[in-house]
Amino acid sequence: MKKILAVGLMLTLTATLLSAQTEFNLQELIMAAQKEGELTAYFTSSRIKEVGANFEKKYGIKVRGTKMADPEQAERIIREVDAKNVQVDVIGFEDGALLEGKLIPDGYVSSWVPPDLKQSIPLEDQNPLIFLWQPRIFGYNTDSYGLTPPVANVWQFTEPKWKGKIIIRDPAMTPANLAFFSALVTNPQPLADAYKELYGKALVTKEANAGWEFLKRLFENDIIVMQSDGDISQAVGAAGQKNAPIGFYTLTKQRDNQTKNLKLATLQGLKPFMGYALPTYGLIVKNCPHPNAAKLFIHYILSDGHYPWTVDDMGAFSSNKTAPVNKENEGTWEEWTHKLIRLDNKAALKMRQDVLDFWLLSSNK
Amino acid sequence: MKPSEEIKHNMIKHNMIKIPSDLSVSEGGVVNRTRMRFSSLRYEPSALVAVLLTVLLTYLVIAPLCSMVLDTVRVSLKDSAITGLPRGTFTTYFIKRTFSSRVSGVLFWTPLKHTLFISACVALLAIPLGAIMAWLTIKTDLPGRKFFSSILVVPYMLPSWTFAVAWLNLFKNRRMGGAAGILENLGLHTPDWLAYGALPIILCESLHLFPFAFLLFGNALRSVDQQLEESARVLGAPRRVITWRIIVPLLKPALMSALLLTVSRVLGSFGTPYILGSPVKYYLLPTALYNSFKVGSPGVSAVIATVTILLGVILVAVDAWFVREQKRYVTIGGKGAMKRPIPLGIMKIPAFIFSVVVVVVAVILPLGTIIFSSVTWEAGVFKPGNFTLAFWTGKNIPAYPGQSGMFFNKEVLHAAWNSLRISGLAALIAGITGLMVGYIVVKLANTFIASYLRQVSFLPYLVPSIGFAAACLSFFAVSRGPIPSLYGTIFLLILVMSMKYLPFAARSGISAMIQLGNEPEEAAQVCGATWFTRIRRIVLPIQKQALIMGIVLPFITGMKEQSLVIMLATPGTELLTTQVLRYIDYGYTQLADATMLIIVVLIFVFTFGLEKLTGGNLTAGFGGEN
């Protein structure tokens, strides 16, 4: 009798659990999350502080939010999970190659899409979950060059005129930039065409293709590296410069035109691309101490929580198609995607070492 | 046990009384012998302490390093993602990549060349400067020498990267992001070679490290027994002969120490080459190691870290060889020594001006630019409306979302508390362990265990902070036996820091114990004092100053340590120094500067507070008046 009772109880429990899984209930998630009390988040964006404070205001759950670059995040997550001492619950991560190549397959983090929001997020952004899109673009200083972009074709960056005047984030420490370069060498045709368009003749190269040749010329043109988009936008945009450099930074930095008196503008019309589409993935860490709060946070940054990124300031887009956008964004995300290269995580992982070595060799010549 | 028995015991121990051999046969004999062994431990527990120390240091220093050496041939998760090699298997790929691939020049050989070059230049600059200043303040009648001897310790108290930050404030040009430096704003274009790379690294490192030589030479000069000089003078030796035949030879150990510590310091210093070298891709081994780590290739990082450890071991070997060649000095005499300053004569004014210039360049200028930056909206702009106290007393500073001035900033206050308790505990552990190492090394001199302890306790100094942190992180992140995983706890930080700073304390402990010699303790032993009594009544009082130095120096260093803790600190265990880096990441320059000033103020307050509290005169110990 006891046995039957126990089995019956178990069945009921299982059924409840199953139904909880199939029928998503935001209220239940909020209650479960509030019981957990707090949340630790590592994000690549400094806006995590503001978003965390808003989250606490709305749900009463404290967020310890820290800005942290991808390599450091990966290092910590691997260590924490391996040590079975997980501190962080949720991450905002940009290194898609490492994510799809290792962190997800090996079970360090998992991607969770809030069932009630599945309809409004494009399928290709769901696995793994992307919550934020940003254009990383080439920009210039209007004090130096006026309102007409001084460069119309990326091959001009490799000319003597721009020697020592192109600034990018250190590719060695910016996996997304490596992924961008990988995309150029795996799909070189647009660059080959752009070369012909600019110089009126086909490119002759000893390298494997136009992508490698472009990278070689770009790196060897005394390209300057900096550690953050903020540094780059300041160096490029500082008011009153005569021969300001051109920088490769996230569009969102142009918000500082007002707050820091910068003179940044995008190189609109740049051929064959203005830059690339930088995704930020929102993920939950394995065996994290506050799993429900982590889920709620993911839900939050896909619904109301993304405002500090996408609405309050320019330059970033929610992957949620129903989300409002900032008016200064120079177009919708749909329009932007045509001007930007989309990264391919699988190719980026495969090419990473080669591209990195190529960078190390060319840039240290 | 009565004193007479104690004496008898000692006589037994020293084979002065033969014990009847049948004692051990009888039942009571075994008990007696066991009791005797225990009591022997009570009188002479050095061996037990030595064994405990050996086990402890092996586990905390050698084991993590071995684990890292293993990482040079073992595929980690991150490497497996990029190289496609299965995780956990063994490979020579990383070694080949570091030493003999097409990228090995960039990854390793060029940084190695740079490191050797910078080390040599810094040694050539910092040691003579330190020696000259020590001689001026201790041996001559330089005006204000007490003041100079106090203030010249300051550059060493400042975080090493203070000078790099100050340098950028002055010389930064348009190559780097953000606002330009002061000179650039004044219309003077600073070329890249002046703003970044080898030259500024050498100057900044020298400014930071010369107090090291200053302290070592100061201590040596002070402890030279005046009677040696007096005797020579009585015998009619001229000043020059006294200097070259008596003082200089006695300073040789100080010179060797200064050289060794300076070189190893450059080998391990990260902040300055990172800040000043990166803009022109001028890398040293520590920054090359950091790059590999940041790029996410743990295998190559482990190889580079291992090489720096090997270089460190070579330095230790040189040190050991040198010490063996040298005779040991007992330089602290029991008699009072008279001091007679050397008159500088017409050189008095130039020497004074020189000293003032050193103080201005090494102390006032760097601190000045940072204070200046922390009270301006835009660094480097001289306009009345540009000055503000918002970064100190403001709440919710505009354009700095969620941030308040230092006094109301919860993050900063919490980080300050962390810095204090972590450095404080680490320093205490390091200081006591160091003195114990010193005691054992001298007590059991010429034994294997003594030279093992001496060298192991010095080893962490030669391992670059980042490398040591990486080694400890991978070793202590997993639970081992009774010890749980320490990742993300302050215990890991305390442990790593105390081991990293053990060399300071052990060095000061060893040299203090060598100077003390065995005689006072043996005298007490003959009088029947137990080991604890001897330690409490003789060793500790005499070594009070050494112990204070062995604690204060690690504490000071801990308060400003950055490269050691940057990988270990997690949100919640953030320290002031890592908070500075976070602020730099956010682009909150002034908050970073203000936080840095808090570090500086705390260092000063605690140094002088401890000095007052213990009655020990730290600056005197560093080479001032007696």
Side-chain angles (χ1 to χ4, degrees), chain B residues 269-289:
Chain B
S269 103
F270 168 76
T272 303
Y274 179 71
I275 294 171
L276 294 173
S278 305
V280 287
K281 302 189 187 92
Y282 189 91
Y283 299 120
L284 306 192
L285 280 183
T287 38
L289 169 62

Side-chain angles (χ1 to χ4, degrees), chain B residues 327-339:
Chain B
K327 282 179 190 153
R328 290 201 172 148
Y329 304 95
V330 179
T331 45
I332 294 181
K335 300 142 217 126
M338 209 174 64
K339 282 219 156 179

Side-chain angles (χ1 to χ4, degrees), chain A residues 79-330:
Chain A
R79 299 244 186 244
E80 289 182 13
V81 173
D82 282 351
K84 297 193 174 59
N85 178 17
V86 180
Q87 314 248 320
V88 58
D89 299 291
V90 61
I91 58 167
F93 194 69
E94 291 170 6
D95 186 354
L98 188 65
L99 198 62
E100 285 204 54
K102 276 289 158 183
L103 294 181
I104 288 179
D106 286 23
Y108 283 87
V109 296
S110 59
S111 171
W112 178 78
V113 185
D116 58 332
L117 299 176
K118 273 200 168 139
Q119 298 301 321
S120 23
I121 300 168
L123 259 182
E124 66 267 28
D125 292 356
Q126 292 194 12
N127 190 24
L129 176 74
I130 292 164
F131 74 93
L132 196 71
W133 281 106
Q134 301 181 70
R136 182 170 270 146
I137 44 87
F138 288 97
Y140 74 103
N141 187 317
T142 49
D143 267 8
S144 298
Y145 308 103
L147 292 175
T148 316
V151 171
N153 188 311
V154 293
W155 284 97
Q156 288 174 270
F157 295 151
T158 67
E159 293 172 359
K161 184 184 176 196
W162 296 102
K163 188 175 171 66
K165 305 201 79 155
I166 307 292
I167 312 177
I168 60 169
R169 258 176 75 142
D170 189 349
M173 289 165 203
T174 314
N177 273 3
L178 287 180
F180 170 56
F181 299 148
S182 304
L184 299 186
V185 297
T186 43
N187 185 19
Q189 199 50 45
L191 275 172
D193 295 344
Y195 184 92
K196 202 168 175 190
E197 197 182 316
L198 181 66
Y199 298 115
K201 56 181 181 193
L203 172 73
V204 183
T205 173
K206 281 184 201 153
E207 301 294 329
N209 59 45
W212 289 111
E213 180 64 29
F214 173 72
L215 291 184
K216 185 179 157 70
R217 292 191 191 185
L218 182 69
F219 295 165
E220 286 179 7
N221 208 23
D222 192 21
I223 193 165
I224 295 179
V225 295
M226 289 184 184
Q227 300 306 321
S228 72
D229 293 281
D231 285 348
I232 298 172
S233 58
Q234 282 210 12
V236 173
Q241 294 186 70
K242 281 218 179 64
N243 296 300
I246 281 177
F248 193 46
Y249 53 83
T250 47
L251 181 64
T252 173
K253 294 296 164 196
Q254 294 196 181
R255 67 174 183 245
D256 294 334
N257 275 353
Q258 278 89 46
T259 55
K260 292 184 181 167
N261 191 29
L262 301 184
K263 304 291 175 186
L264 296 169
T266 55
L267 287 169
Q268 278 294 349
L270 185 68
K271 291 280 171 63
F273 46 75
M274 285 180 68
Y276 66 91
L278 172 69
T280 311
Y281 299 89
L283 302 147
I284 298 173
V285 179
K286 183 189 185 183
N287 297 332
C288 64
H290 314 105
N292 289 304
K295 281 186 174 175
L296 185 61
F297 194 74
I298 294 280
H299 188 278
Y300 179 68
I301 55 176
L302 284 163
S303 44
D304 301 337
H306 58 79
Y307 275 57
W309 281 298
T310 58
V311 182
D312 299 350
D313 273 316
M314 62 168 304
F317 300 83
S318 171
S319 64
N320 185 338
K321 290 300 128 203
T322 63
V325 289
N326 186 294
K327 290 184 192 76
E328 293 169 57
N329 278 351
E330 303 180 19

Side-chain angles (χ1 to χ4, degrees), chain B residues 533-554:
Chain B
T533 310
R534 274 160 17 220
I535 293 288
R536 195 165 49 85
R537 301 285 297 276
I538 295 172
V539 179
L540 282 184
I542 293 179
Q543 300 299 13
K544 193 176 78 179
Q545 202 162 324
L547 186 63
I548 292 170
M549 265 187 76
I551 292 172
V552 169
L553 279 184

Side-chain angles (χ1 to χ4, degrees), chain A residues 78 96-109 349, chain B residues 76-82 84-87:
Chain A
I78 291 168
L98 188 65
L99 198 62
E100 285 204 54
K102 276 289 158 183
L103 294 181
I104 288 179
D106 286 23
Y108 283 87
V109 296
L349 188 68
Chain B
S76 68
L77 178 91
K78 275 182 156 182
D79 276 322
S80 87
I82 289 153
L85 299 161
R87 187 185 186 186

